[in-house]
Amino acid sequence: MKFKHLQSLIQDLEHFRKPRMELEQYPTAAELATCMMFTSKETGDIEDKVVVDLGCGCGTLAISAILLGASYVIGVEIDSGAIEVALENCEGFEDLYLDMIQCNLANIAGLRLKADTVVMNPPFGTKTEGADMEFLKCAFQVAETAVYSLHKRSTREYIRKFAMTKLKAVSAKVAFYLCWSLNLSHTLQFFIR
Amino acid sequence: MRLLTHNMLASNVKGVKNGYPLRIEATTVETKTADFNPEFLKRMFPKLEWKAFCEASAALGEKGLPAQVSPETLEDEEFLKAFHHSLLELHVEEGALICPETGRKFPVNKGIPNMLLNEDEC
């Protein structure tokens, strides 16, 4: 699948109907999602892998993972409204080996969720402080090989240190950097266990 | 919800010690064909709790999976086809997952298990 093709498919996906601000709900921009997913695919973390999308929202990253060759994808999402939209988005495709689970990440440890790769566009912690770090902790519990996550540029060093020391990442680096239209700079960070 | 997903779910209620595997009470099960990929099946097999998987499969009417699986079994096409069918083609659309310790029900609607907890369960 080519970059532009994936990008245009993502652009056609439905968005949140009534975005809940406290959950920092917004659809991942098509170009951003495509860049991120292509990067993770090129590093060998998508094709033939089991992928989990934490906080999958409308399903942008989860669906992209399947389209780029993931064997199986699980989307975890807390909000019923988002899940409804994600289900509709999935209907537009045939043979999506994608399941969703409705769950609060605060309670995810009790499940036995494991995947090769976690992809996510987590809340930045602007509404609930520390939300981004909670997502990262969960990501490291679930992922066996790699975590791809979007964060604000301003938190880059803090996250790198946190991942290396507290989460025992083998490496943490910026895989991709893109300026985003809402005047926030997003950095894609790539952690390998 | 496919059985591959179910195999990874347990009761996440605080204090529960034996919340796995969740028993399946399915009111609607659908079968949707999926591409047969033996390599994927062989890769997934070691990641599964096999006993729990066989029980779940039996709960949905597919009782033919062997309790013991040897390296030879994993090369047997008949086994792989049955494994494939249970792992990827059976979908629990409506029903509930039940905690073996407490009986707490986690509903499944439109194929999505709801693992959200009440305040007193966190």
Side-chain angles (χ1 to χ4, degrees):
Chain A
M1 165 148 322
K2 295 251 161 73
F3 188 100
K4 287 249 181 274
H5 186 196
L6 181 64
Q7 188 174 330
S8 82
L9 283 173
I10 294 178
Q11 230 137 34
D12 288 341
L13 293 177
E14 295 286 333
H15 294 170
F16 295 98
R17 305 238 153 84
K18 290 188 191 166
R20 287 175 58 184
M21 286 300 119
E22 73 275 19
L23 296 176
E24 292 186 44
Q25 288 183 336
Y26 61 87
T28 307
E31 188 184 358
L32 194 57
T34 312
C35 283
M36 176 169 167
M37 295 311 292
F38 261 82
T39 304
S40 50
K41 180 186 164 104
E42 269 149 35
T43 331
D45 287 313
I46 297 292
E47 214 162 329
D48 297 330
K49 303 288 182 191
V50 175
V51 177
V52 163
D53 178 355
L54 292 179
C56 67
C58 305
T60 308
L61 299 180
I63 293 174
S64 305
I66 296 273
L67 295 177
L68 292 182
S71 299
Y72 195 74
V73 176
I74 298 183
V76 181
E77 173 55 49
I78 191 176
D79 177 52
S80 304
I83 288 178
E84 226 176 271
V85 178
L87 280 175
E88 276 179 36
N89 282 330
C90 289
E91 273 167 32
F93 300 89
E94 263 181 43
D95 297 336
L96 277 191
Y97 295 171
L98 198 163
D99 268 356
M100 289 202 292
I101 300 174
Q102 186 167 13
C103 184
N104 185 335
L105 283 204
N107 311 123
I108 204 172
L111 307 184
R112 296 165 140 234
L113 213 48
K114 282 283 172 207
D116 298 303
T117 304
V118 167
V119 298
M120 60 185 191
N121 181 5
F124 291 143
T126 55
K127 299 294 173 195
T128 307
E129 201 182 316
D132 52 349
M133 307 317 282
E134 286 310 307
F135 266 70
L136 265 180
K137 277 192 217 156
C138 289
F140 272 75
Q141 274 170 9
V142 171
E144 292 183 330
T145 306
V147 172
Y148 290 80
S149 181
L150 286 163
H151 297 275
K152 285 196 294 188
R153 184 171 62 163
S154 55
T155 56
R156 183 195 308 180
E157 268 322 299
Y158 177 72
I159 289 182
R160 192 202 302 266
K161 282 202 195 118
F162 185 76
M164 300 297 284
T165 57
K166 296 259 167 59
L167 302 178
K168 309 281 184 244
V170 167
S171 79
K173 66 178 198 232
V174 174
F176 188 85
Y177 167 68
L178 182 72
C179 276
W180 193 43
S181 60
L182 276 195
N183 275 332
L184 291 174
S185 303
H186 289 184
T187 308
L188 238 181
Q189 301 203 348
F190 165 13
F191 307 89
I192 310 184
R193 219 180 254 265
Chain B
M1 181 195 64
R2 295 176 179 82
L3 294 188
L4 174 45
T5 304
H6 165 263
N7 202 255
M8 293 201 250
L9 296 178
S11 169
N12 50 350
V13 172
K14 191 170 84 165
V16 166
K17 302 242 161 46
N18 295 310
Y20 183 88
L22 296 171
R23 200 165 41 84
I24 302 180
E25 237 174 47
T27 45
T28 312
V29 179
E30 279 180 23
T31 304
K32 301 181 197 173
T33 2
D35 282 343
F36 179 61
N37 183 345
E39 289 315 308
F40 176 71
L41 296 172
K42 289 179 207 173
R43 217 166 53 81
M44 289 313 302
F45 176 77
K47 300 186 194 221
L48 295 173
E49 283 289 338
W50 186 247
K51 184 160 174 282
F53 181 73
C54 291
E55 282 169 10
S57 180
L60 299 188
E62 301 291 344
K63 303 189 182 176
L65 292 173
Q68 300 297 334
V69 174
S70 65
E72 287 76 39
T73 327
L74 280 176
E75 297 297 328
D76 175 45
E77 179 139 333
E78 214 177 292
F79 163 76
L80 287 174
K81 291 233 154 108
F83 178 27
H84 164 80
H85 179 67
S86 290
L87 189 70
L88 296 173
E89 295 188 324
L90 297 176
H91 295 253
V92 179
E93 294 293 326
E94 305 289 329
L97 305 178
I98 302 160
C99 173
E101 184 178 308
T102 63
R104 202 266 204 209
K105 289 194 182 190
F106 296 91
V108 179
N109 296 118
K110 296 192 190 165
I112 301 181
N114 184 337
M115 313 302 292
L116 292 176
L117 301 181
N118 305 320
E119 257 182 56
D120 56 332
E121 293 176 317
C122 299

